[in-house]
Amino acid sequence: MLIRIRASAVTRADTMMRKGEPLFARPFLGLRRPRAGLSGTGLSGEVIAVGESVRRFAPGDAVFGESGMQFGANGSHICVDEGGVLMAKPDTLSHEQAAVLCDGVLTSWHYLHELGKVKSGERVLILGGAGSLGSAAVQIAAAMDARVSATCSARNADLVTSLGASRVIDYTAEEALQPGAGYDVIFDTIGVATFAAAKPALTGGGRYLCPVLTLKRLPAILTSGRAGTKRALFAAVGLEKPVRLRGMLTEILALIDQGRLAPVIDRTYPLAELVAAHAHVEAGPKRGNVVVV
């Protein structure tokens, strides 16, 4: 299917992959420069042409999804397989909102529902509550009836509170990982901690979740749980089968339709300013998602 892209996401993962980080991923991303000519995975747009065997979509359909390891979403057009992670875009969502659903929202949904298996009433700490993953995670955990705490800067406290956090911790003034804090789940959305640092703040059977895989975190992911009940968990969400990811997106759309989840947009750039968008994401903490149109 040929899609005219109306909006696409620029994420921290995009900037890392552009730079070949982490180093052990370079055989897949490109040894000395990016193998893919265009960056970006999350997109939203309109189908303008289809192959003769395409059945799920037709020209004129509004769609959103991701291109995966094909990349190329930060462009004007893209050709993708209908069997990938593609969904019909609801009329209630703008292209900008739909374009970011497969990054922070989908990842946070997978980590909290599938990996962390958060239960009603559990205490959940979100490290980095104002970013792309964090702003989604706070809303998702609150919708799961968890008791949500989140870290952010003082300037983002009102935002994070409005998203559903019952306690907001200013990371510049207070240490969130206090021994004996009694969190059932700690979701480190930006990789600012380690399992060793988080472990004392977890309950027995507590789970430390982090989507930022590094060589330093790998031993804890491989061995935690053998010598105790607390665990460090990681999942490569993008490697899940498309049909499974589409199922998760269906649940996410239902939550959005109920008014319990809304993507947070930080800034929107014209596609011609893609370099500036990457620079903004790399500059440090942001509020929600960055989009190019």
Side-chain angles (χ1 to χ4, degrees), residues 6-279:
R6 295 300 187 185
S8 60
V10 177
T11 70
R12 186 184 178 205
D14 292 331
T15 66
M16 292 177 66
M17 288 185 282
R18 189 198 76 238
K19 293 185 291 185
E21 298 176 351
L23 290 177
F24 58 76
R26 288 196 176 193
F28 309 99
L29 302 174
L31 293 177
R32 298 200 300 179
R33 59 177 296 168
R35 185 170 295 153
L38 286 174
S39 64
T41 57
L43 61 94
S44 182
E46 297 111 18
V47 178
I48 59 174
V50 299
E52 61 181 15
S53 62
V54 171
R55 296 292 180 267
R56 289 181 59 214
F57 301 102
D61 288 347
V63 297
F64 76 94
E66 66 175 3
S67 60
M69 294 301 289
Q70 173 186 344
F71 302 106
N74 298 144
S76 61
H77 297 75
I78 192 169
C79 191
V80 294
D81 192 295
E82 73 161 341
V85 185
L86 287 170
M87 303 281 290
K89 184 187 78 66
D91 293 338
T92 53
L93 286 176
S94 68
H95 283 296
E96 290 85 350
Q97 291 172 314
V100 304
L101 290 183
C102 289
D103 177 51
V105 180
L106 182 57
T107 300
S108 292
W109 179 277
H110 186 278
Y111 267 76
L112 295 174
H113 276 270
E114 307 294 327
L115 198 63
K117 300 186 184 304
V118 173
K119 301 178 182 65
S120 176
E122 285 194 318
R123 297 188 65 204
V124 176
L125 172 65
I126 311 296
L127 298 179
S132 173
L133 275 76
S135 60
V138 170
Q139 296 177 78
I140 292 167
M144 298 170 77
D145 295 320
R147 293 182 288 167
V148 185
S149 300
T151 66
C152 64
S153 63
R155 76 181 184 93
N156 290 325
D158 289 344
L159 167 67
V160 175
T161 298
S162 72
L163 297 176
S166 57
R167 182 177 178 228
V168 175
I169 302 168
D170 179 357
Y171 66 84
T172 66
E174 182 180 353
E175 173 54 59
L177 301 177
Q178 296 285 353
Y183 293 110
D184 298 289
V185 172
I186 295 174
F187 185 20
D188 183 1
T189 67
I190 48 180
V192 294
T194 63
F195 178 58
K199 195 173 180 180
L202 287 168
T203 59
R207 292 84 77 196
Y208 168 74
L209 317 175
C210 184
V212 184
L213 182 62
T214 64
L215 289 176
K216 290 183 178 179
R217 287 193 179 86
L218 194 56
I221 293 167
L222 295 175
T223 64
S224 66
R226 295 180 183 177
T229 59
K230 302 177 183 181
R231 298 187 63 194
L233 301 172
F234 168 82
V237 181
L239 298 182
E240 294 281 350
K241 292 182 178 180
V243 66
R244 182 168 164 78
L245 294 176
R246 293 199 301 266
M248 294 181 203
L249 286 169
T250 298
E251 295 184 79
I252 287 169
L253 291 177
L255 204 60
I256 292 173
D257 191 53
Q258 295 165 15
R260 306 180 74 185
L261 173 64
V264 178
I265 306 297
D266 178 17
R267 293 189 187 183
T268 300
Y269 291 83
L271 181 58
E273 295 181 16
L274 179 59
V275 172
H278 270 247

